[in-house]
Amino acid sequence: MNMDMNLFMQDMIRQARSEMEASGYEQLKTPEEVDSAISREGTTLFMVNSVCGCAGGIARPAAMHAVHYDKRPDHLVTVFAGQDKEATAQARMHFGDDHLPSSPSFILMKAEK
């Protein structure tokens, strides 16, 4: 049996992205989109997504379930580590030195006027 690994990975990536979008998360694919999201007033939950088992088994399900409460962030966004590398690097620059560049990970940010 010959498996096309690239085709397999693209299917996994497509599924991981669609899970987040279906849950109301906005995909940030460029550094400019990240900067725009950071500047929005209010709270923003960032999820650094990936195709690893921790993301698929724990982080994405947690991200999907965490938004079904009365108190929730104003904005839900996600960057995809390993796929949208420049956007992920830009997001991590805003996270500060105390937040390790891990994927999957979450960070809650608040922008004020």
Side-chain angles (χ1 to χ4, degrees):
M1 182 171 145
N2 187 8
M3 180 187 281
D4 184 344
M5 189 57 103
N6 189 44
L7 183 62
F8 175 71
M9 288 303 295
Q10 290 305 313
D11 188 49
M12 287 180 62
I13 293 163
R14 192 171 21 262
Q15 179 66 29
R17 286 186 190 276
S18 68
E19 287 176 1
M20 296 305 295
E21 287 177 347
S23 298
Y25 285 76
E26 175 188 358
Q27 297 279 334
L28 306 177
K29 296 182 179 182
T30 68
E32 295 79 20
E33 291 173 346
V34 169
D35 289 341
S36 177
I38 293 274
S39 67
R40 294 178 189 154
E41 189 174 342
T43 54
T44 301
L45 179 61
F46 272 83
M47 190 242 185
V48 180
N49 197 0
S50 70
V51 293
C52 72
C54 293
I58 299 170
R60 281 193 303 276
M64 290 181 257
H65 292 290
V67 299
H68 299 289
Y69 297 94
D70 293 340
K71 295 187 188 275
R72 56 177 277 170
D74 299 310
H75 312 284
L76 305 170
V77 298
T78 182
V79 293
F80 206 116
Q83 301 303 310
D84 303 320
K85 294 177 183 178
E86 294 83 10
T88 303
Q90 187 72 8
R92 287 175 173 155
M93 283 180 36
H94 291 285
F95 295 165
D97 294 334
D98 59 338
H99 191 76
L100 298 174
S102 175
S103 59
S105 63
F106 295 90
I107 187 163
L108 182 63
M109 301 183 80
K110 183 174 183 179
E112 299 179 18
K113 279 192 164 190

